[in-house]
Amino acid sequence: MVKPGGGKPGGGGGELRVAGGVHKKQAKKNTQGVSGLEFHKSKGQHILKNPMVVQAIVDKAGVKSTDVVLEIGPGTGNMTMKLLEKAKKVIAIELDPRMVLELQRRVQGTSYERSLQIIHGDFMKVELPYFDLCVANIPYNISSPLTFKLLAHRPAFRAAVIMYQHEFAMRLVAKPGDALYCRLAANCQLLSRVNHLLKVGKNNFRPPPKVDSSVVRIEPRVPPPPINFREWDGLVRLCFGRKNKTLGAIFRQGSTLAALEQNYKTAAALAAAGGAPAGQQGQGQGALQGVEVAFAGEGMDMS
């Protein structure tokens, strides 16, 4: 017997009788949090909802009571509140005005209100303040430029503990000789020490992303290597541009030899004109100015 509404007994109205058979209703996916905010996947809003994972990340970050902690994309503040329990101050950079209001609401009238500074803006466009530690669950589509903006920041911070897409994280920590070793790994490990901390399943987020995630710890090398980073990245880009060719074959290509000759002539001309000696331009602290520029247009796929 079918009820007047079309659903079978005990079916909860999940099916409708239509001509030609049964049509199943598609339940609308819940993308709202406990505060009633709707999360936008298109903006990379995947809120970490598992309190045990949040606590594990904060513990592995090694937050000290004297630390100023930078959090990128705090969302509704699940991790922010845990960081406020341990840190001297938390600076949260958030683009979504709804999340900014939610963060303000969560600390209003509490002892943490004065310890939280919220910067409403785009992380890639704002000038970063001083901080000791960075802890973040970031939008995955800006993983590369975000990472290198952090590494270019001075004064150098102690460490960054960041949630990445699992595949990206594995490439970030890959070592020479590994199948996943790539330009991303070479550049990041030139400027920092990286370690994989833990893998986080997609069901720990609301709404769940399509892929699993991983948490990585990044510790900048201080001082940075005395090289011109733009020149270095040009070399690495060339080396990893043709994965199926040997380095010897790459550097014997006519286009490569012509580009190298032209670059050499340009550098020699600049040196003769009274500029910095060829090969020494932009070394030391100035070399880091090229880090952000080199990756300004890079998305997640940086092979």
Side-chain angles (χ1 to χ4, degrees):
M1 176 180 178
V2 179
K3 293 184 179 180
K8 292 182 180 179
E15 297 179 348
L16 290 174
R17 285 285 179 184
V18 296
V22 177
H23 174 71
K24 293 186 177 180
K25 289 182 180 178
Q26 301 224 332
K28 185 178 180 180
K29 293 183 179 179
N30 181 18
T31 58
Q32 293 186 338
V34 293
S35 301
L37 293 173
E38 183 177 356
F39 304 132
H40 300 145
K41 288 186 178 181
S42 61
K43 297 179 180 178
Q45 292 180 342
H46 299 281
I47 307 301
L48 186 56
K49 66 179 183 179
N50 188 330
M52 295 180 65
V53 176
V54 172
Q55 189 63 58
I57 293 173
V58 173
D59 291 342
K60 289 181 179 293
V63 184
K64 299 178 181 178
S65 59
T66 55
D67 280 343
V68 175
V69 179
L70 178 72
E71 186 181 11
I72 306 165
T76 56
N78 292 343
M79 191 177 296
T80 312
M81 300 307 294
K82 290 295 182 181
L83 291 170
L84 285 168
E85 293 176 5
K86 293 192 172 187
K88 175 183 178 182
K89 181 180 181 180
V90 174
I91 302 173
I93 302 179
E94 177 56 60
L95 179 61
D96 192 331
R98 302 172 306 146
M99 303 300 175
V100 171
L101 290 173
E102 176 63 13
L103 278 174
Q104 293 172 337
R105 184 194 67 78
R106 290 190 71 165
V107 298
Q108 188 174 17
T110 71
S111 57
Y112 300 131
E113 190 171 5
R114 293 185 177 180
S115 302
L116 176 63
Q117 176 187 347
I118 302 174
I119 299 177
H120 181 200
D122 185 341
F123 172 82
M124 296 307 302
K125 297 178 181 179
V126 303
E127 182 177 350
L128 299 183
Y130 169 85
F131 62 95
D132 301 295
L133 193 66
C134 175
V135 182
N137 172 26
I138 66 172
Y140 295 152
N141 61 332
I142 59 169
S143 295
S144 289
L146 180 148
T147 299
F148 287 96
K149 177 171 182 174
L150 284 174
L151 288 174
H153 179 67
R154 287 297 179 269
F157 51 92
R158 185 171 75 251
V161 176
I162 302 177
M163 180 93 70
Y164 292 108
Q165 179 177 329
H166 178 69
E167 178 190 353
F168 183 94
M170 292 299 96
R171 290 161 55 199
L172 194 68
V173 303
K175 303 301 180 185
D178 293 349
L180 291 176
Y181 191 67
C182 58
R183 172 176 161 238
L184 171 67
N187 281 330
C188 188
Q189 293 174 34
L190 172 76
L191 300 172
S192 64
R193 290 173 290 273
V194 294
N195 294 286
H196 180 260
L197 298 181
L198 72 152
K199 184 177 180 180
V200 182
K202 56 188 176 183
N203 291 330
N204 291 289
F205 298 86
R206 181 189 294 115
K210 295 180 180 180
V211 295
D212 291 334
S213 305
S214 277
V215 180
V216 173
R217 183 180 180 89
I218 301 174
E219 298 178 3
R221 298 186 188 276
V222 181
I227 65 168
N228 183 309
F229 191 83
R230 293 190 191 183
E231 293 179 1
W232 163 267
D233 182 59
L235 174 65
V236 174
R237 187 189 294 266
L238 186 63
C239 293
F240 285 98
R242 302 288 184 85
K243 292 183 178 181
N244 295 327
K245 288 194 174 186
T246 64
L247 290 177
I250 291 173
F251 284 98
R252 283 195 296 269
Q253 286 183 315
S255 58
T256 302
L257 292 172
L260 290 173
E261 182 179 5
Q262 183 60 45
N263 289 344
Y264 174 77
K265 289 180 179 179
T266 301
L270 289 172
Q280 295 183 15
Q281 298 164 347
Q283 290 187 357
Q285 173 64 28
L288 288 175
Q289 295 176 359
V291 174
E292 281 189 68
V293 176
F295 297 96
E298 296 289 353
M300 189 230 128
D301 186 18
M302 180 177 158
S303 54

